[in-house]
Amino acid sequence: MNKYEELNKIIKQSNSIVVFTGAGISVPSGIPDFRSAKGIYNEKYNSLYRPEDIISHSFFYKHTEDFYLFYKSKMMYLEAKPNKAHQYFANLEARTNKQISVVTQNIDGLHQLAGSKRVYELHGSIHRNYCENCHAFYDAKYVKDSYDVPTCPKCGGIIKPDVVLYEEGLDDAVVSRAIAAISTCQTMIVIGTSLVVYPAAAYLRYFRGNNLILINKDETQYDEYCSLVFHEDVIHVIDELEKIEK
């Protein structure tokens, strides 16, 4: 039995699965990751600031216009569509009685667009935006299409994306639900994350199940603890799983 067949067997035998995803799962959809050679942090910008500084809480309030210039061009990919990996787990949830929970560090909303119902967004979403003053809701298109800094037409307040910036804490309710799913599932499949961003990466320590699977192009600090490790593109792994199922 090769490792793809082994993964297929594990998925078939598991009633509860957590899919823990990072930026790598959305790269095939045309959204760059952060830390790879072609990632956001390694691109060159005509800016005085580093990307890591721009997407921080303090920068948002001190340099709001510069924040949005970067955010709209480098973090809002509204034309992106779910790829085979997003669709595979959404379809698995739809066609079986398995409990599939997605815990994601991504803010792109592609898991929900693919059809996944139980998604815990640790770092928020570009699709939720709120006026800082009156708390009115605005969608991503309104923010993307706005000139310079998006403001609320109702009260004139500045609109802030519901994403977790550096220097901000995660949402306690989302974290609690994510940890509950991780600590009670039989199988956890980690996809497309370097597992260096905390506190999210530390949540793997709550896993008490039988099978910890890692699909990531590069090695991580958790490789040695995994039942199966795939250092390859997630789409190739999904292709192999689909071949087995036919």
Side-chain angles (χ1 to χ4, degrees):
M1 182 185 299
N2 64 39
K3 61 181 183 179
Y4 304 105
E5 293 170 333
E6 191 172 350
L7 176 57
N8 181 65
K9 181 180 178 181
I10 288 171
I11 290 172
K12 279 190 172 181
Q13 293 179 344
S14 300
N15 293 319
S16 58
I17 299 172
V18 164
V19 185
F20 185 95
T21 65
I25 196 172
S26 294
V27 169
S29 294
I31 301 177
D33 62 10
F34 288 87
R35 290 173 175 78
S36 71
K38 295 181 180 179
I40 290 173
Y41 288 170
N42 291 310
E43 286 187 28
K44 292 184 179 179
Y45 305 99
N46 295 321
S47 173
L48 300 172
Y49 312 104
R50 300 182 309 158
E52 301 97 311
D53 297 327
I54 295 173
I55 51 177
S56 69
H57 176 90
S58 55
F59 192 94
F60 176 84
Y61 289 103
K62 289 178 182 176
H63 310 282
T64 312
E65 188 172 335
D66 287 326
F67 169 88
Y68 268 114
L69 185 66
F70 176 87
Y71 178 76
K72 289 182 194 181
S73 64
K74 301 299 181 183
M75 300 187 72
M76 299 187 79
Y77 290 83
L78 303 190
E79 304 304 317
K81 303 297 182 186
N83 60 54
K84 271 190 173 185
H86 299 105
Q87 292 164 347
Y88 176 84
F89 292 105
N91 292 339
L92 183 66
E93 179 183 8
R95 63 183 169 82
T96 69
N97 292 322
K98 300 179 187 298
Q99 180 170 298
I100 311 293
S101 301
V102 176
V103 178
T104 185
Q105 295 169 285
N106 298 339
I107 60 174
D108 52 42
L110 293 184
H111 284 294
Q112 293 95 323
L113 195 58
S116 290
K117 304 299 183 186
R118 192 182 290 105
V119 182
Y120 305 119
E121 296 172 306
L122 297 175
H123 296 158
S125 172
I126 63 170
H127 298 286
R128 297 188 300 270
N129 305 272
Y130 298 94
C131 172
E132 291 262 84
N133 185 40
C134 72
H135 310 296
F137 170 86
Y138 294 94
D139 63 15
K141 187 177 186 304
Y142 180 88
V143 171
K144 182 85 169 182
D145 292 346
S146 62
Y147 180 74
D148 290 337
V149 176
T151 56
C152 177
K154 299 177 182 178
C155 72
I158 292 174
I159 295 170
K160 184 177 183 293
D162 187 18
V163 299
V164 179
L165 304 176
Y166 286 120
E167 305 164 353
E168 294 180 342
L170 306 188
D171 183 289
D172 288 340
V174 174
V175 168
S176 294
R177 290 193 288 269
I179 289 176
I182 291 169
S183 61
T184 57
C185 70
Q186 294 171 299
T187 294
M188 186 169 179
I189 305 174
V190 181
I191 303 173
T193 174
S194 57
L195 296 173
V196 297
V197 177
Y198 285 82
Y203 298 158
L204 269 69
R205 297 173 185 169
Y206 290 93
F207 178 65
R208 298 290 182 269
N210 301 319
N211 308 290
L212 181 59
I213 316 298
L214 179 72
I215 305 171
N216 193 58
K217 285 186 177 181
D218 300 316
E219 294 182 0
T220 77
Q221 59 184 322
Y222 283 92
D223 284 18
E224 62 183 295
Y225 304 108
C226 295
S227 312
L228 285 173
V229 176
F230 300 82
H231 285 153
E232 54 193 275
D233 186 85
V234 63
I235 300 301
H236 179 254
V237 177
I238 299 301
D239 284 340
E240 293 298 316
L241 289 175
E242 290 181 342
K243 287 179 187 175
I244 294 167
E245 291 173 0
K246 288 181 179 178

